[in-house]
Amino acid sequence: MSCNWSDLVRSAVMFFDDNGFMLELMVAAVLFTGWLDRRRHAAVRVPVALIALVCLSVAWNAVIPENTWTLIAQYMVYFAASAVLLHWCVDVRWSQALFYMVAAGTLQHFAFRGGRLMAAALHVFGGTPESWVDYAYPVLLVPMYAIGYAAFVRPLRGRRVENLGYGLILPLLAGMSLCVSVFTNVFNTLAADDLTGSTYTVFALFDLVNCVFLLALLREIVDRERAEEDSNVLQRLLEQQKAQMEQSKETIDLINVKTHDLKKQLAAFGDRIDPDEIEELNGLVDIYDSSVRTGNEALDVLLKQKALTCERRHIPFNRMVDGRPLSFMRPTDIYALFGNAIDNAIEANDGMADDAGRYIDMDVRCRRGMLAIRVENPYAGHLDFSDGLPRTTKGDDRYHGFGVRSIRMIVERYGGTMAIDADGGVFRLTALIPLNRD
């Protein structure tokens, strides 16, 4: 029984030694792409793809003799086949499939090199027999993949690579990744008799550091692509709000003219209408004729519009606003900053089950050379935060949640800081902008 178990383990190690690269590459690819949307019939496609890759590896090792040139061709074929089958199984474009395979190939090599170094260290410093290195290596891959996942894979989860508009950068990274895998493994073949020597150790450490740098570079590409996408969305949002501000100003001006004329006509009726009805009509007109004078025209237009919205939704809108210090800001930035803040407050109030608990408090004033802005409102439920900002409750971070981000972007554009506090069912947005700026 023990003999059979020993033979089974030996056979498994030999199979892994022959096909380890493909198996390791498959694990790395699953780690990077396991969360992506799959194509139709994925329950069939994925097992077929995995079996096909294993069969390719077994067939190659059985038919193709191993030398320097076939080793180079082997890795190129494995890489290409994996990219094709990834595109077949996962709903990604070809450029995305190439990116994920570059990342997977680099992670595989990172785990391979780290596992080999730790196995050699067990032999040199731990006194384990050299024959145990091949048995220890598959086990040591587990912590290396765990480190790679925590450092490089997990930060990219949920962040789809949509538009890789960097010219030749991605193909060059793919070539670099292949070169790292190909030529370092050629070196392994040439140095097979001295896997614990100083030359091999120095080269292996250099190789491991290269993998870390390459994985960090891939992560930076995704971060920059996401930042550019967010910037484009925010820019389009600001342009839409600029057009909305112009339309709102025209609408408010028209309402002011019409209500002024209507009040004159009501006064002309005199005693011909019941005084109570006249008072009621005047009260309704006053809702639209209530002037907002903060000392800043853009803010006046916005507050008039939002006050009407709050009146219609039965949300008390309490405000103490001095708009005169806002003269240094562009009207579009004023409209976007305060408009997004009030819109978020209105949306939070709409989620309140008790109408009596609804309110919006807004305070804008100068304090010790700073423009202090505070918007407070109640909210229901639980808020999750990411990077100091509340995550959207609409279920799609890619297309929602830009309101608060645009507020922070505008505040920082003027050298200020923004903070958000949500505690006890009360949401507070506070911004401080210096008034004396170089």
Side-chain angles (χ1 to χ4, degrees):
M1 183 70 176
S2 60
C3 182
N4 292 337
W5 175 252
S6 178
D7 292 341
L8 182 62
V9 172
R10 188 178 297 108
S11 299
V13 171
M14 291 177 61
F15 179 83
F16 187 83
D17 188 55
D18 291 336
N19 304 282
F21 174 75
M22 179 61 81
L23 297 174
E24 294 168 23
L25 185 61
M26 289 163 54
V27 171
V30 170
L31 289 177
F32 268 107
T33 63
W35 59 274
L36 295 174
D37 295 332
R38 293 178 174 81
R39 298 189 187 276
R40 294 182 59 186
H41 310 299
V44 176
R45 290 179 184 241
V46 173
V48 168
L50 296 177
I51 293 172
L53 290 174
V54 173
C55 290
L56 171 63
S57 178
V58 172
W60 184 283
N61 288 301
V63 175
I64 307 298
E66 182 177 312
N67 57 55
T68 301
W69 298 106
T70 59
L71 192 62
I72 293 174
Q74 178 185 20
Y75 289 108
M76 295 180 67
V77 169
Y78 284 12
F79 188 88
S82 299
V84 170
L85 290 174
L86 175 64
H87 182 268
W88 184 61
C89 294
V90 181
D91 186 15
V92 292
R93 296 191 300 274
W94 284 109
S95 61
Q96 294 172 303
L98 178 61
F99 172 86
Y100 285 119
M101 283 313 305
V102 170
T106 308
L107 178 62
Q108 178 276 329
H109 198 72
F110 168 81
F112 158 78
R113 184 58 70 195
R116 285 296 181 187
L117 281 170
M118 287 193 294
L122 286 177
H123 168 62
V124 175
F125 302 106
T128 57
E130 187 173 358
S131 59
W132 285 20
V133 170
D134 289 338
Y135 293 89
Y137 167 70
V139 178
L140 294 173
L141 284 174
V142 175
M144 290 305 301
Y145 275 120
I147 294 172
Y149 177 83
F152 304 108
V153 179
R154 187 175 180 181
L156 300 183
R157 289 186 67 88
R159 306 180 66 177
R160 292 179 62 93
V161 182
E162 297 290 349
N163 301 303
L164 293 170
Y166 297 102
L168 293 176
I169 290 182
L170 189 56
L172 288 174
L173 287 173
M176 185 184 302
S177 179
L178 281 174
C179 286
V180 168
S181 295
V182 168
F183 292 109
T184 56
N185 282 284
V186 170
F187 178 85
N188 290 343
T189 303
L190 298 176
D193 296 332
D194 189 26
L195 294 181
T196 59
S198 58
T199 301
Y200 175 83
T201 302
V202 171
F203 175 82
L205 289 172
F206 173 77
D207 190 25
L208 182 65
V209 172
N210 277 342
C211 291
V212 172
F213 287 159
L214 188 53
L215 285 168
L217 181 59
L218 292 170
R219 178 175 168 181
E220 179 65 21
I221 287 177
V222 175
D223 289 341
R224 178 168 297 186
E225 186 271 336
R226 181 64 180 267
E228 289 184 359
E229 181 185 359
D230 288 354
S231 178
N232 292 334
V233 173
L234 286 172
Q235 188 61 40
R236 290 196 298 269
L237 179 63
L238 291 176
E239 291 173 358
Q240 292 173 0
Q241 289 173 331
K242 179 181 179 181
Q244 184 181 1
M245 182 187 71
E246 295 172 353
Q247 295 174 358
S248 298
K249 187 177 185 303
E250 294 177 0
T251 302
I252 294 299
D253 289 342
L254 180 61
I255 289 175
N256 288 335
V257 172
K258 294 298 183 182
T259 52
H260 183 68
D261 292 343
L262 184 56
K263 291 185 75 171
K264 284 185 176 181
Q265 294 174 10
L266 288 174
F269 281 110
D271 298 334
R272 286 176 288 178
I273 300 180
D274 184 77
D276 293 335
E277 293 183 6
I278 287 288
E279 184 178 354
E280 182 180 355
L281 289 172
N282 279 320
L284 293 173
V285 171
D286 286 339
I287 292 175
Y288 297 96
D289 193 39
S290 56
S291 59
V292 178
R293 296 288 184 266
T294 67
N296 185 280
E297 184 180 10
L299 191 56
D300 290 347
V301 171
L302 175 70
L303 293 180
K304 182 67 173 290
Q305 179 192 19
K306 300 305 179 184
L308 294 175
T309 302
C310 291
E311 182 72 27
R312 187 170 62 250
R313 301 192 184 186
H314 306 291
I315 301 174
F317 187 11
N318 310 310
R319 51 196 182 273
M320 295 183 62
V321 179
D322 181 5
R324 290 171 296 177
L326 294 171
S327 58
F328 66 90
M329 296 180 65
R330 293 185 297 185
T332 52
D333 288 340
I334 294 173
Y335 196 88
L337 191 158
F338 290 96
N340 283 316
I342 298 173
D343 285 342
N344 288 340
I346 291 174
E347 183 179 339
N349 275 277
D350 286 340
M352 299 292 295
D354 184 8
D355 290 349
R358 296 183 172 194
Y359 71 91
I360 298 175
D361 286 345
M362 180 174 173
D363 187 283
V364 181
R365 65 180 68 186
C366 292
R367 291 180 179 175
R368 298 180 181 179
M370 304 287 286
L371 176 65
I373 302 169
R374 182 183 63 85
V375 179
E376 178 181 307
N377 59 268
Y379 71 93
H382 175 72
L383 290 179
D384 294 322
F385 282 77
S386 175
D387 190 26
L389 300 180
R391 297 176 63 90
T392 177
T393 58
K394 297 178 181 178
D396 190 347
D397 289 338
R398 293 166 60 200
Y399 301 109
H400 296 293
F402 283 96
V404 182
R405 275 187 270 179
S406 68
I407 295 172
R408 183 169 69 177
M409 182 187 72
I410 294 170
V411 170
E412 292 177 350
R413 177 186 297 168
Y414 291 95
T417 60
M418 187 195 78
I420 290 177
D421 174 53
D423 185 35
V426 178
F427 183 94
R428 298 179 185 87
L429 184 149
T430 305
L432 293 175
I433 302 176
L435 293 176
N436 299 321
R437 304 179 318 282
D438 295 333

